[in-house]
Amino acid sequence: MTHGARPRVVLVDDDPLVRAGLRMMLGGPDGVDVVAEGEDGDQVLALVAAHRPDVVLMDIRMARTDGLAATRDLLAAHPEAKVLILTTFDADAYVMEALRAGARGFVLKDTPPDRLVAAVHEVAGGDHALSPSVAALLVRHVADDQRAGQRAGSARDRRAQQARARLTQLTERELEVARAVARGGANAQIARDLYMGVPTVKAHVSSILAKLRLANRVQIALLVHDAEELE
């Protein structure tokens, strides 16, 4: 997407009233262009092939193919695609799986219009839409894993050990940035908190992604939470 251009969005939701409302919210002067709509995840591949959007804004729950399966299928065929998940509440277990599958983040359907537009712009520009509420969800997810007891303990422990091993590739400063990303911090906030310039934060994030072979900041957050690296 060229600088200053309006992001092109494919909107996928099984409720036509929701799609109409979202189209209105997104279409303002500083908004985005909804270039196509779909009513189920099984239409996503064809819509992306036909319209080449900057962002796919997609509901997590649909009748035939849900947003999780559609995200996996889309990113397998088009790894460069950018998916922003829509959900009705922030504790949806499917959201965690969608983030692991490579979605750039998620927004609630009752998100204020200006924040929804900003999230789409962020994702279209190559950033993430990991709000503080998403970071809180990740914290709860890890806490739920910890409370699950011995039934899931061994799998959780293995995942934590693997995540910690991967994080040893980072410098101490990169690890501080990774933790800040996991808390939901945007670049400007991280720069203020860690007393560094925004370009330095961006450089650290790029280095973290490259060293750990991750696709986006959401995956950094998931790895940090898996390692239980947050104070």
Side-chain angles (χ1 to χ4, degrees):
M1 187 182 76
T2 59
H3 181 70
R6 288 169 65 93
R8 292 164 46 82
V9 173
V10 163
L11 175 60
V12 185
D13 192 292
D14 59 359
D15 187 332
L17 291 178
V18 170
R19 293 200 307 272
L22 287 169
R23 181 185 280 272
M24 289 182 61
M25 290 171 60
L26 294 167
D30 298 319
V32 306
D33 293 328
V34 177
V35 297
E37 296 181 15
E39 62 182 17
D40 196 88
D42 61 6
Q43 300 173 344
V44 170
L45 280 173
L47 289 171
V48 168
H51 298 279
R52 299 293 177 181
D54 298 301
V55 177
V56 177
L57 184 59
M58 179 158 52
D59 189 13
I60 194 71
R61 291 179 168 179
M62 291 175 284
R64 297 188 299 274
T65 302
D66 64 25
L68 172 57
T71 296
R72 287 175 173 157
D73 292 346
L74 174 60
L75 294 178
H78 302 281
E80 75 286 356
K82 298 168 184 173
V83 178
L84 183 57
I85 294 292
L86 283 164
T87 185
T88 53
F89 61 104
D90 63 2
D92 194 327
Y94 281 105
V95 169
M96 298 305 306
E97 295 305 317
L99 296 178
R100 291 188 187 282
R104 296 296 182 108
F106 79 88
V107 290
L108 301 179
K109 289 185 179 179
D110 60 359
T111 296
D114 59 340
R115 180 56 208 147
L116 177 60
V117 169
V120 175
H121 275 273
E122 288 164 6
V123 170
D127 208 336
H128 69 303
L130 182 61
S131 69
S133 67
V134 179
L137 171 65
L138 297 175
V139 170
R140 291 199 300 274
H141 169 69
V142 172
D144 288 344
D145 272 359
Q146 292 171 341
R147 288 193 295 267
Q150 293 184 349
R151 179 172 58 84
S154 60
R156 174 178 55 79
D157 289 345
R158 279 197 305 274
R159 193 169 69 204
Q161 290 171 1
Q162 291 168 354
R164 291 188 198 112
R166 293 180 70 186
L167 290 176
T168 62
Q169 301 175 66
L170 304 182
T171 67
E172 186 58 37
R173 200 57 163 160
E174 288 169 346
L175 184 56
E176 289 177 346
V177 172
R179 289 169 176 158
V181 168
R183 294 189 189 96
N187 288 338
Q189 182 64 49
I190 295 172
R192 288 192 295 270
D193 291 346
L194 299 182
Y195 303 102
M196 61 177 68
V198 171
T200 303
V201 174
K202 291 180 178 179
H204 281 314
V205 171
S206 295
S207 178
I208 293 165
L209 292 171
K211 283 184 177 181
L212 301 181
R213 297 184 180 182
L214 299 174
N216 54 58
R217 294 166 69 119
V218 170
Q219 292 183 346
I220 294 176
L222 287 168
L223 187 66
V224 170
H225 282 287
D226 282 345
E228 302 168 17
E229 278 285 348
L230 288 184
E231 295 86 358

PDB file of all heavy atoms in Angstrom, residues 57-94:
ATOM      1  N   LEU A  57     -10.769  -8.129   6.829  1.00  0.00           N
ATOM      2  CA  LEU A  57     -11.427  -7.927   8.122  1.00  0.00           C
ATOM      3  C   LEU A  57     -12.499  -9.002   8.236  1.00  0.00           C
ATOM      4  O   LEU A  57     -13.479  -8.983   7.494  1.00  0.00           O
ATOM      5  CB  LEU A  57     -12.036  -6.527   8.182  1.00  0.00           C
ATOM      6  CG  LEU A  57     -12.688  -6.092   9.491  1.00  0.00           C
ATOM      7  CD1 LEU A  57     -11.693  -6.123  10.654  1.00  0.00           C
ATOM      8  CD2 LEU A  57     -13.274  -4.691   9.345  1.00  0.00           C
ATOM      9  N   MET A  58     -12.318  -9.950   9.169  1.00  0.00           N
ATOM     10  CA  MET A  58     -13.085 -11.191   9.113  1.00  0.00           C
ATOM     11  C   MET A  58     -13.644 -11.592  10.473  1.00  0.00           C
ATOM     12  O   MET A  58     -12.932 -11.586  11.481  1.00  0.00           O
ATOM     13  CB  MET A  58     -12.174 -12.301   8.570  1.00  0.00           C
ATOM     14  CG  MET A  58     -12.820 -13.664   8.470  1.00  0.00           C
ATOM     15  SD  MET A  58     -11.986 -14.742   7.284  1.00  0.00           S
ATOM     16  CE  MET A  58     -10.283 -14.662   7.817  1.00  0.00           C
ATOM     17  N   ASP A  59     -14.908 -11.966  10.463  1.00  0.00           N
ATOM     18  CA  ASP A  59     -15.559 -12.485  11.663  1.00  0.00           C
ATOM     19  C   ASP A  59     -14.929 -13.818  12.054  1.00  0.00           C
ATOM     20  O   ASP A  59     -14.508 -14.597  11.202  1.00  0.00           O
ATOM     21  CB  ASP A  59     -17.053 -12.668  11.366  1.00  0.00           C
ATOM     22  CG  ASP A  59     -17.854 -12.989  12.620  1.00  0.00           C
ATOM     23  OD1 ASP A  59     -17.331 -12.838  13.738  1.00  0.00           O
ATOM     24  OD2 ASP A  59     -19.027 -13.388  12.478  1.00  0.00           O
ATOM     25  N   ILE A  60     -14.881 -14.089  13.353  1.00  0.00           N
ATOM     26  CA  ILE A  60     -14.298 -15.351  13.814  1.00  0.00           C
ATOM     27  C   ILE A  60     -15.284 -16.496  13.727  1.00  0.00           C
ATOM     28  O   ILE A  60     -14.903 -17.651  13.577  1.00  0.00           O
ATOM     29  CB  ILE A  60     -13.769 -15.192  15.266  1.00  0.00           C
ATOM     30  CG1 ILE A  60     -12.864 -16.367  15.662  1.00  0.00           C
ATOM     31  CG2 ILE A  60     -14.911 -15.060  16.264  1.00  0.00           C
ATOM     32  CD1 ILE A  60     -11.552 -16.384  14.987  1.00  0.00           C
ATOM     33  N   ARG A  61     -16.591 -16.204  13.828  1.00  0.00           N
ATOM     34  CA  ARG A  61     -17.594 -17.262  13.877  1.00  0.00           C
ATOM     35  C   ARG A  61     -18.525 -17.160  12.678  1.00  0.00           C
ATOM     36  O   ARG A  61     -19.281 -16.190  12.537  1.00  0.00           O
ATOM     37  CB  ARG A  61     -18.412 -17.148  15.168  1.00  0.00           C
ATOM     38  CG  ARG A  61     -17.599 -17.484  16.409  1.00  0.00           C
ATOM     39  CD  ARG A  61     -18.435 -17.342  17.649  1.00  0.00           C
ATOM     40  NE  ARG A  61     -17.769 -17.915  18.800  1.00  0.00           N
ATOM     41  CZ  ARG A  61     -18.273 -17.914  20.026  1.00  0.00           C
ATOM     42  NH1 ARG A  61     -19.457 -17.375  20.243  1.00  0.00           N
ATOM     43  NH2 ARG A  61     -17.605 -18.454  21.025  1.00  0.00           N
ATOM     44  N   MET A  62     -18.448 -18.156  11.814  1.00  0.00           N
ATOM     45  CA  MET A  62     -19.320 -18.214  10.641  1.00  0.00           C
ATOM     46  C   MET A  62     -19.783 -19.650  10.442  1.00  0.00           C
ATOM     47  O   MET A  62     -19.175 -20.591  10.961  1.00  0.00           O
ATOM     48  CB  MET A  62     -18.587 -17.663   9.410  1.00  0.00           C
ATOM     49  CG  MET A  62     -18.345 -16.159   9.498  1.00  0.00           C
ATOM     50  SD  MET A  62     -17.366 -15.486   8.131  1.00  0.00           S
ATOM     51  CE  MET A  62     -15.711 -16.029   8.588  1.00  0.00           C
ATOM     52  N   ALA A  63     -20.848 -19.822   9.682  1.00  0.00           N
ATOM     53  CA  ALA A  63     -21.567 -21.101   9.660  1.00  0.00           C
ATOM     54  C   ALA A  63     -20.777 -22.241   9.017  1.00  0.00           C
ATOM     55  O   ALA A  63     -20.678 -23.330   9.575  1.00  0.00           O
ATOM     56  CB  ALA A  63     -22.900 -20.925   8.937  1.00  0.00           C
ATOM     57  N   ARG A  64     -20.192 -21.998   7.848  1.00  0.00           N
ATOM     58  CA  ARG A  64     -19.548 -23.095   7.125  1.00  0.00           C
ATOM     59  C   ARG A  64     -18.056 -23.171   7.433  1.00  0.00           C
ATOM     60  O   ARG A  64     -17.554 -24.208   7.857  1.00  0.00           O
ATOM     61  CB  ARG A  64     -19.789 -22.942   5.617  1.00  0.00           C
ATOM     62  CG  ARG A  64     -21.268 -23.023   5.213  1.00  0.00           C
ATOM     63  CD  ARG A  64     -21.437 -23.062   3.701  1.00  0.00           C
ATOM     64  NE  ARG A  64     -20.915 -21.881   3.035  1.00  0.00           N
ATOM     65  CZ  ARG A  64     -21.601 -20.752   2.851  1.00  0.00           C
ATOM     66  NH1 ARG A  64     -22.844 -20.641   3.304  1.00  0.00           N
ATOM     67  NH2 ARG A  64     -21.060 -19.727   2.209  1.00  0.00           N
ATOM     68  N   THR A  65     -17.347 -22.086   7.188  1.00  0.00           N
ATOM     69  CA  THR A  65     -15.910 -22.027   7.460  1.00  0.00           C
ATOM     70  C   THR A  65     -15.652 -20.837   8.363  1.00  0.00           C
ATOM     71  O   THR A  65     -15.882 -19.690   7.965  1.00  0.00           O
ATOM     72  CB  THR A  65     -15.105 -21.873   6.150  1.00  0.00           C
ATOM     73  OG1 THR A  65     -15.406 -22.970   5.285  1.00  0.00           O
ATOM     74  CG2 THR A  65     -13.613 -21.835   6.436  1.00  0.00           C
ATOM     75  N   ASP A  66     -15.215 -21.107   9.583  1.00  0.00           N
ATOM     76  CA  ASP A  66     -15.036 -20.001  10.524  1.00  0.00           C
ATOM     77  C   ASP A  66     -13.765 -19.218  10.211  1.00  0.00           C
ATOM     78  O   ASP A  66     -12.969 -19.584   9.344  1.00  0.00           O
ATOM     79  CB  ASP A  66     -15.056 -20.500  11.975  1.00  0.00           C
ATOM     80  CG  ASP A  66     -13.896 -21.440  12.311  1.00  0.00           C
ATOM     81  OD1 ASP A  66     -12.844 -21.366  11.641  1.00  0.00           O
ATOM     82  OD2 ASP A  66     -14.047 -22.247  13.248  1.00  0.00           O
ATOM     83  N   GLY A  67     -13.595 -18.111  10.931  1.00  0.00           N
ATOM     84  CA  GLY A  67     -12.458 -17.237  10.670  1.00  0.00           C
ATOM     85  C   GLY A  67     -11.120 -17.870  10.930  1.00  0.00           C
ATOM     86  O   GLY A  67     -10.118 -17.518  10.300  1.00  0.00           O
ATOM     87  N   LEU A  68     -11.077 -18.820  11.867  1.00  0.00           N
ATOM     88  CA  LEU A  68      -9.825 -19.520  12.160  1.00  0.00           C
ATOM     89  C   LEU A  68      -9.378 -20.356  10.974  1.00  0.00           C
ATOM     90  O   LEU A  68      -8.243 -20.243  10.491  1.00  0.00           O
ATOM     91  CB  LEU A  68     -10.012 -20.400  13.389  1.00  0.00           C
ATOM     92  CG  LEU A  68      -8.874 -21.351  13.743  1.00  0.00           C
ATOM     93  CD1 LEU A  68      -7.569 -20.602  13.947  1.00  0.00           C
ATOM     94  CD2 LEU A  68      -9.233 -22.170  14.974  1.00  0.00           C
ATOM     95  N   ALA A  69     -10.273 -21.211  10.478  1.00  0.00           N
ATOM     96  CA  ALA A  69      -9.934 -22.054   9.330  1.00  0.00           C
ATOM     97  C   ALA A  69      -9.635 -21.196   8.101  1.00  0.00           C
ATOM     98  O   ALA A  69      -8.700 -21.486   7.336  1.00  0.00           O
ATOM     99  CB  ALA A  69     -11.077 -23.020   9.032  1.00  0.00           C
ATOM    100  N   ALA A  70     -10.422 -20.140   7.914  1.00  0.00           N
ATOM    101  CA  ALA A  70     -10.207 -19.272   6.756  1.00  0.00           C
ATOM    102  C   ALA A  70      -8.862 -18.565   6.829  1.00  0.00           C
ATOM    103  O   ALA A  70      -8.178 -18.392   5.807  1.00  0.00           O
ATOM    104  CB  ALA A  70     -11.339 -18.250   6.662  1.00  0.00           C
ATOM    105  N   THR A  71      -8.460 -18.151   8.031  1.00  0.00           N
ATOM    106  CA  THR A  71      -7.147 -17.510   8.202  1.00  0.00           C
ATOM    107  C   THR A  71      -6.026 -18.481   7.849  1.00  0.00           C
ATOM    108  O   THR A  71      -5.078 -18.125   7.137  1.00  0.00           O
ATOM    109  CB  THR A  71      -6.984 -17.012   9.649  1.00  0.00           C
ATOM    110  OG1 THR A  71      -7.955 -15.991   9.908  1.00  0.00           O
ATOM    111  CG2 THR A  71      -5.599 -16.433   9.880  1.00  0.00           C
ATOM    112  N   ARG A  72      -6.130 -19.696   8.354  1.00  0.00           N
ATOM    113  CA  ARG A  72      -5.103 -20.694   8.044  1.00  0.00           C
ATOM    114  C   ARG A  72      -5.017 -20.960   6.547  1.00  0.00           C
ATOM    115  O   ARG A  72      -3.922 -21.007   5.960  1.00  0.00           O
ATOM    116  CB  ARG A  72      -5.409 -21.992   8.797  1.00  0.00           C
ATOM    117  CG  ARG A  72      -5.145 -21.932  10.286  1.00  0.00           C
ATOM    118  CD  ARG A  72      -5.598 -23.207  10.962  1.00  0.00           C
ATOM    119  NE  ARG A  72      -5.211 -23.245  12.365  1.00  0.00           N
ATOM    120  CZ  ARG A  72      -5.817 -23.980  13.278  1.00  0.00           C
ATOM    121  NH1 ARG A  72      -6.845 -24.750  12.933  1.00  0.00           N
ATOM    122  NH2 ARG A  72      -5.411 -23.969  14.529  1.00  0.00           N
ATOM    123  N   ASP A  73      -6.168 -21.147   5.915  1.00  0.00           N
ATOM    124  CA  ASP A  73      -6.179 -21.432   4.483  1.00  0.00           C
ATOM    125  C   ASP A  73      -5.611 -20.261   3.683  1.00  0.00           C
ATOM    126  O   ASP A  73      -4.834 -20.452   2.736  1.00  0.00           O
ATOM    127  CB  ASP A  73      -7.605 -21.733   4.017  1.00  0.00           C
ATOM    128  CG  ASP A  73      -8.143 -23.047   4.568  1.00  0.00           C
ATOM    129  OD1 ASP A  73      -7.336 -23.849   5.080  1.00  0.00           O
ATOM    130  OD2 ASP A  73      -9.364 -23.259   4.495  1.00  0.00           O
ATOM    131  N   LEU A  74      -6.017 -19.041   4.062  1.00  0.00           N
ATOM    132  CA  LEU A  74      -5.572 -17.863   3.326  1.00  0.00           C
ATOM    133  C   LEU A  74      -4.062 -17.682   3.447  1.00  0.00           C
ATOM    134  O   LEU A  74      -3.369 -17.452   2.443  1.00  0.00           O
ATOM    135  CB  LEU A  74      -6.298 -16.621   3.846  1.00  0.00           C
ATOM    136  CG  LEU A  74      -5.830 -15.282   3.260  1.00  0.00           C
ATOM    137  CD1 LEU A  74      -6.023 -15.248   1.754  1.00  0.00           C
ATOM    138  CD2 LEU A  74      -6.559 -14.122   3.928  1.00  0.00           C
ATOM    139  N   LEU A  75      -3.527 -17.783   4.670  1.00  0.00           N
ATOM    140  CA  LEU A  75      -2.100 -17.548   4.861  1.00  0.00           C
ATOM    141  C   LEU A  75      -1.255 -18.671   4.300  1.00  0.00           C
ATOM    142  O   LEU A  75      -0.084 -18.456   3.958  1.00  0.00           O
ATOM    143  CB  LEU A  75      -1.803 -17.318   6.339  1.00  0.00           C
ATOM    144  CG  LEU A  75      -2.419 -16.034   6.910  1.00  0.00           C
ATOM    145  CD1 LEU A  75      -2.121 -15.904   8.390  1.00  0.00           C
ATOM    146  CD2 LEU A  75      -1.936 -14.807   6.154  1.00  0.00           C
ATOM    147  N   ALA A  76      -1.819 -19.862   4.182  1.00  0.00           N
ATOM    148  CA  ALA A  76      -1.096 -20.948   3.519  1.00  0.00           C
ATOM    149  C   ALA A  76      -0.945 -20.646   2.033  1.00  0.00           C
ATOM    150  O   ALA A  76       0.105 -20.928   1.435  1.00  0.00           O
ATOM    151  CB  ALA A  76      -1.831 -22.269   3.721  1.00  0.00           C
ATOM    152  N   ALA A  77      -1.982 -20.062   1.442  1.00  0.00           N
ATOM    153  CA  ALA A  77      -1.944 -19.744   0.011  1.00  0.00           C
ATOM    154  C   ALA A  77      -1.291 -18.394  -0.271  1.00  0.00           C
ATOM    155  O   ALA A  77      -0.642 -18.211  -1.306  1.00  0.00           O
ATOM    156  CB  ALA A  77      -3.368 -19.757  -0.549  1.00  0.00           C
ATOM    157  N   HIS A  78      -1.480 -17.441   0.651  1.00  0.00           N
ATOM    158  CA  HIS A  78      -0.971 -16.076   0.473  1.00  0.00           C
ATOM    159  C   HIS A  78      -0.316 -15.627   1.778  1.00  0.00           C
ATOM    160  O   HIS A  78      -0.949 -14.911   2.575  1.00  0.00           O
ATOM    161  CB  HIS A  78      -2.098 -15.119   0.087  1.00  0.00           C
ATOM    162  CG  HIS A  78      -2.830 -15.486  -1.163  1.00  0.00           C
ATOM    163  ND1 HIS A  78      -2.329 -15.228  -2.424  1.00  0.00           N
ATOM    164  CD2 HIS A  78      -4.020 -16.113  -1.353  1.00  0.00           C
ATOM    165  CE1 HIS A  78      -3.187 -15.671  -3.332  1.00  0.00           C
ATOM    166  NE2 HIS A  78      -4.210 -16.207  -2.711  1.00  0.00           N
ATOM    167  N   PRO A  79       0.925 -16.013   2.040  1.00  0.00           N
ATOM    168  CA  PRO A  79       1.562 -15.681   3.318  1.00  0.00           C
ATOM    169  C   PRO A  79       1.644 -14.185   3.591  1.00  0.00           C
ATOM    170  O   PRO A  79       1.776 -13.772   4.745  1.00  0.00           O
ATOM    171  CB  PRO A  79       2.962 -16.294   3.178  1.00  0.00           C
ATOM    172  CG  PRO A  79       2.829 -17.337   2.128  1.00  0.00           C
ATOM    173  CD  PRO A  79       1.787 -16.828   1.174  1.00  0.00           C
ATOM    174  N   GLU A  80       1.584 -13.392   2.529  1.00  0.00           N
ATOM    175  CA  GLU A  80       1.691 -11.941   2.703  1.00  0.00           C
ATOM    176  C   GLU A  80       0.377 -11.292   3.120  1.00  0.00           C
ATOM    177  O   GLU A  80       0.335 -10.101   3.464  1.00  0.00           O
ATOM    178  CB  GLU A  80       2.172 -11.296   1.403  1.00  0.00           C
ATOM    179  CG  GLU A  80       1.122 -11.208   0.290  1.00  0.00           C
ATOM    180  CD  GLU A  80       0.804 -12.534  -0.393  1.00  0.00           C
ATOM    181  OE1 GLU A  80       1.450 -13.549  -0.074  1.00  0.00           O
ATOM    182  OE2 GLU A  80      -0.094 -12.545  -1.244  1.00  0.00           O
ATOM    183  N   ALA A  81      -0.716 -12.045   3.107  1.00  0.00           N
ATOM    184  CA  ALA A  81      -2.030 -11.485   3.428  1.00  0.00           C
ATOM    185  C   ALA A  81      -2.075 -11.015   4.878  1.00  0.00           C
ATOM    186  O   ALA A  81      -1.398 -11.556   5.758  1.00  0.00           O
ATOM    187  CB  ALA A  81      -3.124 -12.515   3.164  1.00  0.00           C
ATOM    188  N   LYS A  82      -2.887 -10.000   5.125  1.00  0.00           N
ATOM    189  CA  LYS A  82      -3.010  -9.411   6.454  1.00  0.00           C
ATOM    190  C   LYS A  82      -4.453  -9.569   6.924  1.00  0.00           C
ATOM    191  O   LYS A  82      -5.369  -9.025   6.298  1.00  0.00           O
ATOM    192  CB  LYS A  82      -2.610  -7.941   6.423  1.00  0.00           C
ATOM    193  CG  LYS A  82      -1.159  -7.733   6.013  1.00  0.00           C
ATOM    194  CD  LYS A  82      -0.869  -6.283   5.717  1.00  0.00           C
ATOM    195  CE  LYS A  82       0.565  -6.103   5.217  1.00  0.00           C
ATOM    196  NZ  LYS A  82       0.840  -4.737   4.752  1.00  0.00           N
ATOM    197  N   VAL A  83      -4.630 -10.324   8.005  1.00  0.00           N
ATOM    198  CA  VAL A  83      -5.964 -10.640   8.510  1.00  0.00           C
ATOM    199  C   VAL A  83      -6.172  -9.952   9.854  1.00  0.00           C
ATOM    200  O   VAL A  83      -5.347 -10.075  10.761  1.00  0.00           O
ATOM    201  CB  VAL A  83      -6.154 -12.156   8.673  1.00  0.00           C
ATOM    202  CG1 VAL A  83      -7.540 -12.459   9.255  1.00  0.00           C
ATOM    203  CG2 VAL A  83      -5.958 -12.869   7.338  1.00  0.00           C
ATOM    204  N   LEU A  84      -7.284  -9.251   9.956  1.00  0.00           N
ATOM    205  CA  LEU A  84      -7.713  -8.641  11.208  1.00  0.00           C
ATOM    206  C   LEU A  84      -9.035  -9.291  11.595  1.00  0.00           C
ATOM    207  O   LEU A  84      -9.996  -9.262  10.823  1.00  0.00           O
ATOM    208  CB  LEU A  84      -7.880  -7.130  11.027  1.00  0.00           C
ATOM    209  CG  LEU A  84      -8.260  -6.295  12.245  1.00  0.00           C
ATOM    210  CD1 LEU A  84      -7.252  -6.473  13.378  1.00  0.00           C
ATOM    211  CD2 LEU A  84      -8.347  -4.818  11.851  1.00  0.00           C
ATOM    212  N   ILE A  85      -9.066  -9.913  12.764  1.00  0.00           N
ATOM    213  CA  ILE A  85     -10.214 -10.713  13.178  1.00  0.00           C
ATOM    214  C   ILE A  85     -11.240  -9.855  13.909  1.00  0.00           C
ATOM    215  O   ILE A  85     -10.890  -9.026  14.754  1.00  0.00           O
ATOM    216  CB  ILE A  85      -9.753 -11.868  14.091  1.00  0.00           C
ATOM    217  CG1 ILE A  85      -8.887 -12.860  13.315  1.00  0.00           C
ATOM    218  CG2 ILE A  85     -10.938 -12.574  14.732  1.00  0.00           C
ATOM    219  CD1 ILE A  85      -9.624 -13.651  12.262  1.00  0.00           C
ATOM    220  N   LEU A  86     -12.506 -10.095  13.598  1.00  0.00           N
ATOM    221  CA  LEU A  86     -13.628  -9.482  14.311  1.00  0.00           C
ATOM    222  C   LEU A  86     -14.214 -10.486  15.292  1.00  0.00           C
ATOM    223  O   LEU A  86     -14.353 -11.670  14.969  1.00  0.00           O
ATOM    224  CB  LEU A  86     -14.727  -9.081  13.327  1.00  0.00           C
ATOM    225  CG  LEU A  86     -14.534  -7.824  12.496  1.00  0.00           C
ATOM    226  CD1 LEU A  86     -15.523  -7.823  11.341  1.00  0.00           C
ATOM    227  CD2 LEU A  86     -14.738  -6.583  13.351  1.00  0.00           C
ATOM    228  N   THR A  87     -14.561 -10.032  16.479  1.00  0.00           N
ATOM    229  CA  THR A  87     -15.200 -10.916  17.445  1.00  0.00           C
ATOM    230  C   THR A  87     -16.186 -10.113  18.287  1.00  0.00           C
ATOM    231  O   THR A  87     -16.101  -8.886  18.358  1.00  0.00           O
ATOM    232  CB  THR A  87     -14.155 -11.611  18.341  1.00  0.00           C
ATOM    233  OG1 THR A  87     -14.790 -12.547  19.195  1.00  0.00           O
ATOM    234  CG2 THR A  87     -13.412 -10.604  19.189  1.00  0.00           C
ATOM    235  N   THR A  88     -17.111 -10.810  18.921  1.00  0.00           N
ATOM    236  CA  THR A  88     -18.128 -10.128  19.721  1.00  0.00           C
ATOM    237  C   THR A  88     -17.711  -9.957  21.168  1.00  0.00           C
ATOM    238  O   THR A  88     -18.284  -9.149  21.877  1.00  0.00           O
ATOM    239  CB  THR A  88     -19.462 -10.897  19.678  1.00  0.00           C
ATOM    240  OG1 THR A  88     -19.210 -12.262  20.045  1.00  0.00           O
ATOM    241  CG2 THR A  88     -20.061 -10.858  18.288  1.00  0.00           C
ATOM    242  N   PHE A  89     -16.727 -10.734  21.613  1.00  0.00           N
ATOM    243  CA  PHE A  89     -16.240 -10.559  22.976  1.00  0.00           C
ATOM    244  C   PHE A  89     -14.793 -11.000  23.055  1.00  0.00           C
ATOM    245  O   PHE A  89     -14.325 -11.782  22.243  1.00  0.00           O
ATOM    246  CB  PHE A  89     -17.104 -11.332  23.982  1.00  0.00           C
ATOM    247  CG  PHE A  89     -17.143 -12.819  23.761  1.00  0.00           C
ATOM    248  CD1 PHE A  89     -16.416 -13.676  24.571  1.00  0.00           C
ATOM    249  CD2 PHE A  89     -17.943 -13.366  22.759  1.00  0.00           C
ATOM    250  CE1 PHE A  89     -16.466 -15.041  24.375  1.00  0.00           C
ATOM    251  CE2 PHE A  89     -17.997 -14.745  22.567  1.00  0.00           C
ATOM    252  CZ  PHE A  89     -17.254 -15.585  23.372  1.00  0.00           C
ATOM    253  N   ASP A  90     -14.060 -10.468  24.072  1.00  0.00           N
ATOM    254  CA  ASP A  90     -12.609 -10.587  24.050  1.00  0.00           C
ATOM    255  C   ASP A  90     -12.071 -11.820  24.759  1.00  0.00           C
ATOM    256  O   ASP A  90     -10.874 -11.914  24.995  1.00  0.00           O
ATOM    257  CB  ASP A  90     -11.954  -9.317  24.625  1.00  0.00           C
ATOM    258  CG  ASP A  90     -12.312  -9.079  26.078  1.00  0.00           C
ATOM    259  OD1 ASP A  90     -13.032  -9.922  26.654  1.00  0.00           O
ATOM    260  OD2 ASP A  90     -11.866  -8.073  26.631  1.00  0.00           O
ATOM    261  N   ALA A  91     -12.938 -12.779  25.094  1.00  0.00           N
ATOM    262  CA  ALA A  91     -12.443 -14.000  25.735  1.00  0.00           C
ATOM    263  C   ALA A  91     -12.680 -15.214  24.851  1.00  0.00           C
ATOM    264  O   ALA A  91     -12.680 -16.338  25.323  1.00  0.00           O
ATOM    265  CB  ALA A  91     -13.115 -14.188  27.095  1.00  0.00           C
ATOM    266  N   ASP A  92     -12.882 -14.985  23.588  1.00  0.00           N
ATOM    267  CA  ASP A  92     -13.172 -16.069  22.658  1.00  0.00           C
ATOM    268  C   ASP A  92     -11.929 -16.925  22.451  1.00  0.00           C
ATOM    269  O   ASP A  92     -10.883 -16.448  22.007  1.00  0.00           O
ATOM    270  CB  ASP A  92     -13.626 -15.474  21.322  1.00  0.00           C
ATOM    271  CG  ASP A  92     -14.268 -16.505  20.413  1.00  0.00           C
ATOM    272  OD1 ASP A  92     -13.864 -17.677  20.440  1.00  0.00           O
ATOM    273  OD2 ASP A  92     -15.161 -16.112  19.670  1.00  0.00           O
ATOM    274  N   ALA A  93     -12.047 -18.219  22.780  1.00  0.00           N
ATOM    275  CA  ALA A  93     -10.889 -19.115  22.649  1.00  0.00           C
ATOM    276  C   ALA A  93     -10.389 -19.174  21.211  1.00  0.00           C
ATOM    277  O   ALA A  93      -9.194 -19.388  20.971  1.00  0.00           O
ATOM    278  CB  ALA A  93     -11.257 -20.510  23.135  1.00  0.00           C
ATOM    279  N   TYR A  94     -11.293 -19.001  20.243  1.00  0.00           N
ATOM    280  CA  TYR A  94     -10.876 -19.034  18.846  1.00  0.00           C
ATOM    281  C   TYR A  94      -9.885 -17.914  18.524  1.00  0.00           C
ATOM    282  O   TYR A  94      -9.061 -18.054  17.621  1.00  0.00           O
ATOM    283  CB  TYR A  94     -12.084 -18.918  17.920  1.00  0.00           C
ATOM    284  CG  TYR A  94     -12.861 -20.193  17.748  1.00  0.00           C
ATOM    285  CD1 TYR A  94     -14.091 -20.369  18.368  1.00  0.00           C
ATOM    286  CD2 TYR A  94     -12.377 -21.233  16.956  1.00  0.00           C
ATOM    287  CE1 TYR A  94     -14.814 -21.543  18.210  1.00  0.00           C
ATOM    288  CE2 TYR A  94     -13.091 -22.408  16.791  1.00  0.00           C
ATOM    289  CZ  TYR A  94     -14.306 -22.557  17.425  1.00  0.00           C
ATOM    290  OH  TYR A  94     -15.015 -23.713  17.276  1.00  0.00           O
TER     291      TYR A  94
END
